[in-house]
Amino acid sequence: MFQQKVTRLRFLKYFLTALGTAVILSACDNSGTNTGSSSKDNSQTATAGKTIKVATEPTFPPFEFKGTGNEIVGFDIDLIKAVGKAAGMTVEFQNLPFDGMIPALQANTVDAAVSAMTITPERAQTISFSRPYFKAGLAIAVRQDNTTIANLDSLKGKKIAAQIGTTGAKKAKSISDAQVREFDSAPLALQELANGNVDAVINDAPVTLEAIKSGNIKGLKVVGQLITEEYYGIALPKNSPNLNAINTALAKIISDGTYAQIYKKWFNAEPPQLPETAPASTS
Ligand code: GLN
């Protein structure tokens, strides 16, 4: 199996630039004005008024991406703002490459990461996850004219592109004789496929489908069934003091309809039922 880490230098450059350009957004519309009226929220007093620095990698539409005014938007962004509001916390965003997030959480340079991150047992050894907030899975994408790749089996010995540090890259590397090329972002991996340089991409299905639907990447299709079932969680440093407040806030926005509203806004559908803990992961 041969692997190639593409553009590590670019990654470093991006990492350093991102560090210098933290985007600050307030998730708490009326912080300071309602502190006296939230007596019902005693469980959250430990975190109320706190600012949390949240890492995200905004090249993953529709979860996190740059809007027309260069602001960060997406399902995850609305979700964490709603969580912050419910917990009485202000959210400040910081752009980080996806494979820099777990190290940043371990070093405590950020308080959380919301970046379509799949809850896996392996990651849960070094960081903590909130309860699942989104049900997803990996899909195989090929060029529209491809008639030979239909499932995982037919990827044996093929050239596969994926985003570095992701469950998609891990899955690709598990395929026998596959040549895996890893890219800093999902759009770069998909573009490599569109350009004819690899045979397939393994990536989160909602993101690949959105790239095709929006016309951002042309000439691709998704084949076969989802190859995994995955759940996204808000990632936190191991045993973070904010874990309880975030889980309480997530439960609140799921039960009061805010979650369904955000889901409908981005996916135009009713959300599926979410488990309280992620089932044993396939990755
Ligand atoms: N869900 C995938 C993972 O956790 C990809 C996440 C991403 O690229 N933002 O590995």
Side-chain angles (χ1 to χ4, degrees), residues 29-205:
D29 296 337
N30 40 16
S31 61
T33 59
N34 71 346
T35 40
S37 64
S38 54
S39 50
K40 275 195 301 191
D41 290 342
N42 285 340
S43 62
Q44 286 147 24
T45 43
T47 46
K50 214 173 178 176
T51 295
I52 54 162
K53 198 188 278 180
V54 178
T56 195
E57 187 248 339
T59 64
F60 215 59
F63 295 98
E64 41 270 331
F65 58 105
K66 297 279 187 70
T68 42
N70 220 29
E71 74 287 12
I72 305 177
V73 295
F75 174 87
D76 281 355
I77 306 307
D78 285 351
L79 177 102
I80 193 69
K81 284 182 184 173
V83 163
K85 195 170 174 184
M89 298 189 277
T90 301
V91 176
E92 180 186 309
F93 290 104
Q94 174 152 357
N95 294 1
L96 281 185
F98 188 74
D99 72 337
M101 276 179 203
I102 292 177
L105 289 164
Q106 287 181 292
N108 273 295
T109 55
V110 293
D111 301 303
V114 61
S115 212
M117 192 184 288
T118 303
I119 302 169
T120 70
E122 190 185 346
R123 289 173 178 164
Q125 284 175 9
T126 52
I127 57 170
S128 289
F129 282 103
S130 70
R131 58 181 284 161
Y133 73 81
F134 192 88
K135 184 179 178 189
L138 296 173
I140 300 168
V142 296
R143 280 183 299 282
Q144 252 160 13
D145 58 2
N146 182 300
T147 52
T148 55
I149 296 171
N151 49 35
L152 264 184
D153 240 28
S154 42
L155 283 177
K156 285 179 186 153
K158 300 285 187 214
K159 285 191 197 138
I160 306 170
Q163 184 184 4
I164 191 166
T166 62
T167 49
K170 194 171 173 205
K171 184 55 111 186
K173 289 187 221 169
S174 74
I175 299 167
S176 57
D177 298 323
Q179 299 176 28
V180 181
R181 302 190 59 201
E182 295 174 271
F183 291 84
D184 291 345
S185 74
L188 286 176
L190 291 165
Q191 193 56 55
E192 192 73 354
L193 174 61
N195 292 349
N197 299 327
V198 291
D199 303 303
V201 162
I202 300 183
N203 184 44
D204 296 38

Side-chain angles (χ1 to χ4, degrees), residues 15-29:
F15 187 73
L16 293 174
T17 317
L19 277 180
T21 55
V23 179
I24 298 172
L25 284 172
S26 170
C28 191
D29 296 337

